[in-house]
């Protein structure tokens, strides 16, 4: 068995995987459906959306396989992410990289493997959409194209996930801005306008005509500014 070397951009790859915030999340129909379609089209009992973490591979979708993760050094997918092309292993028993892999010599008795890399921006490959069989076989050209196309749809789901996270961050920033404006501007403006109203009513003492005029100007502009702040909120 030959463990896969680390990709040249491993640091950036792990950063992108962390930004996805997808590891150890619950199962989602969008990913499960794509794995199901991959298994049906390729006619394999197992299909996985596999993500390669620092020391493990973790399955976002695991059609036909009960486990959710495994050691990275045993992962076929760790080899598949080293290139952009589809990795095809017709008979793992005859491949020096995998012939004595525990997943080959024991359950689930992997003989055939095909993995399409999940390629994010800047050619960052975070994992694969892969199909597995316990029989020696290959894929037709149509099946190969379909597996790659489905992998692109998995990537689209991941990009949507990132976009939704960004929108959530913007929404939080908006709430924080509103809170700041309310506390830092509206509250003191309300106090200032209240004080000006007391002065104008002369309940705290008589004002000269000139002072009363200045109070009127201040009050009008204070109310105008408060209306503007309320409109912003």
């Amino acid at each position: 068995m030959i463990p896969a070397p680390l990709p040249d951009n491993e640091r950036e790859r792990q950063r992108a995987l962390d930004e996805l915030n997808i590891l150890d999340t619950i199962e989602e129909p969008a990913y499960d459906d794509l794995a199901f379609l991959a298994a049906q089209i390729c006619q394999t009992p197992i299909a996985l959306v596999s993500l390669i973490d620092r020391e493990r591979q973790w399955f976002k979708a695991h059609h036909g396989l009960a486990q959710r993760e495994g050691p990275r050094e045993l992962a076929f997918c760790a080899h598949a992410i080293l290139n952009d092309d589809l990795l095809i292993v017709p008979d793992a028993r005859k491949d020096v990289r995998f012939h004595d892999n525990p997943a080959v010599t024991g359950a689930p008795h992997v003989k055939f493997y095909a993995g399409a890399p999940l390629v994010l921006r800047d050619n960052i490959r975070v994992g694969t959409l892969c199909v597995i069989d316990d029989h020696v076989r290959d894929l037709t050209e149509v099946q190969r194209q379909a597996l790659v196309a489905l992998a692109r749809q998995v990537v689209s789901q991941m990009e949507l996930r990132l976009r939704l996270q960004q929108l959530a961050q913007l929404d939080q920033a908006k709430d924080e801005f509103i809170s700041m404006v309310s506390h830092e501007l509206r509250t003191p403006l309300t106090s200032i306008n209240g004080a000006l109203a007391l002065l104008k009513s002369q309940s705290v003492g008589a004002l000269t005509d000139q002072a009363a005029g200045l109070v009127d100007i201040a009050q009008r502009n204070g109310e105008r500014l408060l209306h503007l702040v309320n409109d912003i909120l």
Side-chain angles (χ1 to χ4, degrees):
M1 187 179 71
I2 302 176
L6 295 179
D8 293 336
N9 64 345
E10 178 65 11
R11 181 176 298 178
E12 293 78 10
R13 203 188 66 78
Q14 288 296 336
R15 185 181 301 116
L17 190 56
D18 291 339
E19 289 174 357
L20 278 172
N21 196 29
I22 195 173
L23 295 171
D24 298 309
T25 56
I26 62 173
E27 297 174 358
E28 298 178 53
Y31 296 95
D32 292 342
D33 289 348
L34 290 168
F36 172 76
L37 286 173
Q40 294 303 306
I41 292 172
C42 297
Q43 298 181 341
T44 60
I46 297 174
L48 309 168
V49 175
S50 173
L51 302 174
I52 302 301
D53 197 6
R54 290 166 178 84
E55 297 180 353
R56 60 172 178 158
Q57 66 171 338
W58 181 81
F59 308 132
K60 179 59 180 173
H62 52 119
H63 176 81
L65 188 69
Q67 71 186 77
R68 293 297 303 274
E69 63 179 59
R72 178 172 178 167
E73 62 267 20
L74 302 181
F76 284 57
C77 298
H79 291 268
I81 65 170
L82 297 177
N83 298 288
D84 294 331
D85 299 330
L86 189 68
L87 174 65
I88 302 285
V89 181
D91 187 350
R93 298 171 303 175
K94 297 180 180 179
D95 192 308
V96 67
R97 295 169 295 180
F98 310 115
H99 70 96
D100 56 350
N101 188 305
V104 175
T105 59
H109 301 285
V110 177
K111 290 186 176 65
F112 169 77
Y113 169 92
L118 304 175
V119 186
L120 301 182
R121 66 189 188 282
D122 300 325
N123 201 35
I124 293 177
R125 300 177 291 272
V126 294
T128 69
L129 173 63
C130 66
V131 292
I132 294 171
D133 204 337
D134 57 1
H135 292 82
V136 175
R137 51 167 301 176
D138 204 344
L139 296 181
T140 67
E141 182 58 30
V142 170
Q143 288 172 328
R144 293 182 183 215
Q145 293 177 6
L147 186 59
V148 171
L150 289 172
R152 288 196 295 267
Q153 293 305 308
V154 174
V155 170
S156 294
Q157 288 297 320
M158 292 178 173
E159 291 173 341
L160 176 60
R161 181 184 187 88
L162 280 174
R163 182 58 180 155
L164 291 174
Q165 290 176 175
Q166 292 168 353
L167 290 175
Q169 292 171 355
L170 287 174
D171 193 55
Q172 181 180 356
K174 179 200 70 175
D175 291 342
E176 292 173 353
F177 172 75
I178 290 175
S179 177
M180 182 275 292
V181 170
S182 178
H183 182 266
E184 300 295 335
L185 293 180
R186 188 165 63 177
T187 300
L189 276 174
T190 301
S191 300
I192 291 171
N193 288 341
L196 290 170
L198 285 175
L199 288 173
K200 185 175 181 179
S201 69
Q202 300 192 30
S203 60
V204 294
L207 298 175
T208 65
D209 291 342
Q210 183 179 14
L214 292 173
V215 168
D216 285 339
I217 293 172
Q219 189 176 37
R220 284 197 304 272
N221 283 281
E223 290 175 352
R224 179 184 176 189
L225 184 56
L226 183 58
H227 286 313
L228 179 60
V229 169
N230 287 333
D231 286 344
I232 291 174
L233 293 176

